[in-house]
Amino acid sequence: MAAPCSSMMYAKYGAAAFTAVNASIISKAVAAPTASVGTSFQGLTQQQAMTLTTNLGAFLVVAYGGPNTYQGKSMLAAHQGLNITEAQYDYFVSNVVVPALSENGVPTADIMNCFAPPVTEKKAGSVKCDTVQSGPRPSGCP
Amino acid sequence: MAVPWATRGAAGLVLALGLVGLAHAPPFRRELARAACPLGGAAAATPGKREAARVEALESRRGAGPAPRRDVTGLELGSATVDTAMARLGVDEASCSLDRPGLVRECRVGGKTLFLRTDESQRVVALASVEREPLGLAPRRAEALLDAWRSALGPPHRQLGAFDGATLGAGVLAQARAEWRFSDLVVSVAATRIDEAEVVVTLEAQALPPPSLRASR
């Protein structure tokens, strides 16, 4: 289960901070040299990029305790067919998500204690277990 | 009775919008995907456009002067062919999978995953490696990687956190990161505590074309 403070991050940092982190994540993902994270994001049309930005932003907001306006697919459905491996996911978390948070001024303590659980937990229905759908299953995922 | 042109135009617009809206209903989105509709699926961007997007997204990390060496990964990023890269890095094609646009090879080499990114002419423009290490061994591994790049490229332009047990032991998503930012090469080494027991050590090296070449794409 996510740490209680995960659900307090939106209230603590606010909409503008979440928008900034979301933009950083998108920008870093476009630059990524890996499969899925990189080339998928590089191939987006302007409309697709807007849809992705909206969905990702809304997902981050609800994952960290903000109002639920997410209208995208489930994590499982959204990543079907993308062949995302655990290595791709680990790259995304370490080289996209963590730098996006730290460069936008989120202290290390909040990254570790509050932002980490929703993206690192391994259990049925967790973001990681539902996103990694190719290659060996991450240990701890059903 | 003649229908005014404005009325006919408005009716046509309403009809067109209705058809577009109907086409976007879930049952028809698969068909839209084939037509490269943004809501239906990924449009078929050309390799050249994807490469331009990669370079554009890296611009904020472009440094002032050229890298002292560009062959530090064992190959000259930006000019090495895939075949050359695979041979130099000891990668067996059978251990690799190619992503859908045909631009990234994801290969298992020893205990790590290697990503080789090519441009539209199949030159290797970037590589990344991802490897997991037990928490107890990770600082030494990451420090060795950092030292190798430091001796090749000089001190990093940015460093966040120390590559040691104290930093990585602090908690999940604790991270040490070093970055080199040159005008033609961007490199980062990072060690990230990914769960209770393991650390992910990543290396990323990306070639940047001269701005004049970028403009002519």
Side-chain angles (χ1 to χ4, degrees), chain A residues 46-60:
Chain A
Q46 198 170 16
Q47 178 63 46
Q48 285 174 319
M50 283 173 59
T51 302
L52 177 68
T53 303
T54 301
N55 282 343
L56 179 60
F59 180 78
L60 291 175

Side-chain angles (χ1 to χ4, degrees), chain A:
Chain A
M1 195 175 90
C5 67
S6 296
S7 62
M8 294 157 54
M9 290 299 95
Y10 185 77
K12 179 173 181 177
Y13 290 98
F18 271 71
T19 300
V21 168
N22 190 34
S24 292
I25 288 174
I26 300 278
S27 170
K28 290 177 187 303
V30 172
T34 60
S36 294
V37 178
T39 45
S40 293
F41 283 65
Q42 291 154 7
L44 299 176
T45 63
Q46 198 170 16
Q47 178 63 46
Q48 285 174 319
M50 283 173 59
T51 302
L52 177 68
T53 303
T54 301
N55 282 343
L56 179 60
F59 180 78
L60 291 175
V61 166
V62 72
Y64 293 103
N68 188 357
T69 59
Y70 181 68
Q71 296 184 326
K73 299 173 181 174
S74 69
M75 286 297 101
L76 193 64
H79 297 96
Q80 265 170 5
L82 294 179
N83 299 320
I84 294 174
T85 61
E86 187 172 25
Q88 291 172 30
Y89 188 88
D90 288 346
Y91 171 90
F92 179 70
V93 169
S94 62
N95 284 30
V96 175
V97 175
V98 175
L101 289 167
S102 59
E103 288 171 16
N104 281 286
V106 178
T108 302
D110 275 356
I111 294 175
M112 293 188 303
N113 299 325
C114 309
F115 282 95
V119 292
T120 58
E121 278 180 343
K122 291 181 283 187
K123 61 178 185 180
S126 69
V127 174
K128 179 166 187 173
C129 292
D130 281 357
T131 301
V132 176
Q133 299 181 19
S134 187
R137 291 296 291 157
S139 65
C141 288

